[in-house]
């Protein structure tokens, strides 16, 4: 991540829709002078439950382009396979818990893999049944192919 002032960094977190401006200002107000750094702010946001450990690690690595996909803010990685990864996320408008399936980067340049990924989502989207997770949104954000789905608490399908 490029070197930003604390104020610029805070504005970027709001612009990325990772934190609410009001909550961020409260957190900044509670920081001691010694902790008024980007790292100090990230630590405080994580301690305060405003960012997850996963988000903080991604921000520190400068990998913010995949923290918000469509209308979902990724919180944690739940699982991964050779084709895609699944994340726990919340919707930006209602804070509803959702799952987000993201095509792995190594498949994003393969038109056939991309088509298969989107076809899976499109075929499942109209289905409504208690034993099938609902698909909500299908999209591409900055080259990341994804779809959001109903989040079910518990293990994965193989469990």
């Amino acid at each position: 991540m490029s070197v930003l002032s604390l104020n610029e960094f805070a504005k970027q977190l709001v612009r990325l829709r990772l934190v609410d401006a009001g909550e961020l200002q409260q957190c900044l107000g509670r920081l001691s002078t010694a902790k008024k750094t980007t790292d100090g702010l990230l630590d405080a946001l994580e301690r305060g439950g405003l960012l997850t450990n996963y988000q903080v690690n991604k921000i520190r690595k400068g990998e913010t382009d995949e923290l918000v996909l469509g209308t979902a803010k990724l919180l944690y990685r739940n699982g991964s396979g050779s084709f895609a990864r699944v994340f726990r996320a919340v919707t930006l408008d209602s804070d509803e818990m959702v799952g987000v399936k993201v095509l792995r980067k190594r498949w994003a340049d393969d038109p056939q893999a991309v088509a298969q990924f989107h076809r899976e989502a499109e075929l499942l989207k109209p289905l409504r049944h208690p034993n099938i997770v609902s698909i909500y949104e299908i999209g591409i954000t900055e080259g990341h192919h994804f779809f959001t789905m109903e989040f079910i608490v518990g293990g994965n399908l193989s469990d």
Side-chain angles (χ1 to χ4, degrees):
M1 180 179 282
S2 63
V3 178
L4 298 174
S5 73
L6 181 60
N7 202 26
E8 290 170 330
F9 181 70
K11 286 179 184 176
Q12 184 180 26
L13 293 176
V14 172
R15 193 171 38 259
L16 290 169
R17 300 178 295 172
L18 295 172
V19 294
D20 173 75
E23 293 172 327
L24 179 67
Q25 286 307 314
Q26 287 179 344
C27 192
L28 279 168
R30 290 190 300 265
L31 284 179
S32 67
T33 303
K35 297 282 185 178
K36 288 200 181 225
T37 64
T38 56
D39 278 335
L41 176 59
L42 284 173
D43 291 341
L45 289 168
E46 184 178 359
R47 274 193 316 277
L50 299 174
L51 290 176
T52 65
N53 180 263
Y54 173 80
Q55 292 168 325
V56 168
N57 288 335
K58 286 290 198 181
I59 293 166
R60 284 194 168 125
K61 291 177 187 175
E63 298 173 0
T64 58
D65 64 327
E66 60 185 76
L67 287 174
V68 175
L69 298 176
T71 60
K73 178 171 54 172
L74 304 187
L75 302 175
Y76 303 99
R77 188 169 75 190
N78 269 31
S80 60
S82 59
F83 194 60
R85 292 188 169 126
V86 178
F87 296 85
R88 179 184 292 207
V90 292
T91 59
L92 294 168
D93 55 348
S94 66
D95 276 342
E96 176 188 359
M97 195 67 64
V98 294
V100 179
K101 188 169 187 176
V102 182
L103 183 66
R104 283 182 173 265
K105 289 179 186 176
R106 68 174 169 232
W107 297 107
D109 292 329
D110 180 344
Q112 195 171 11
V114 169
Q116 180 181 343
F117 181 80
H118 284 274
R119 186 171 41 254
E120 173 187 341
E122 293 291 348
L123 287 171
L124 291 172
K125 192 172 183 177
L127 300 179
R128 295 290 179 257
H129 187 275
N131 296 332
I132 300 174
V133 296
S134 297
I135 304 297
Y136 303 129
E137 177 184 19
I138 304 165
I140 305 166
T141 299
E142 295 190 32
H144 300 285
H145 300 267
F146 70 93
F147 59 86
T148 62
M149 59 190 154
E150 178 181 8
F151 184 80
I152 306 294
V153 177
N156 59 32
L157 188 57
S158 62
D159 291 342

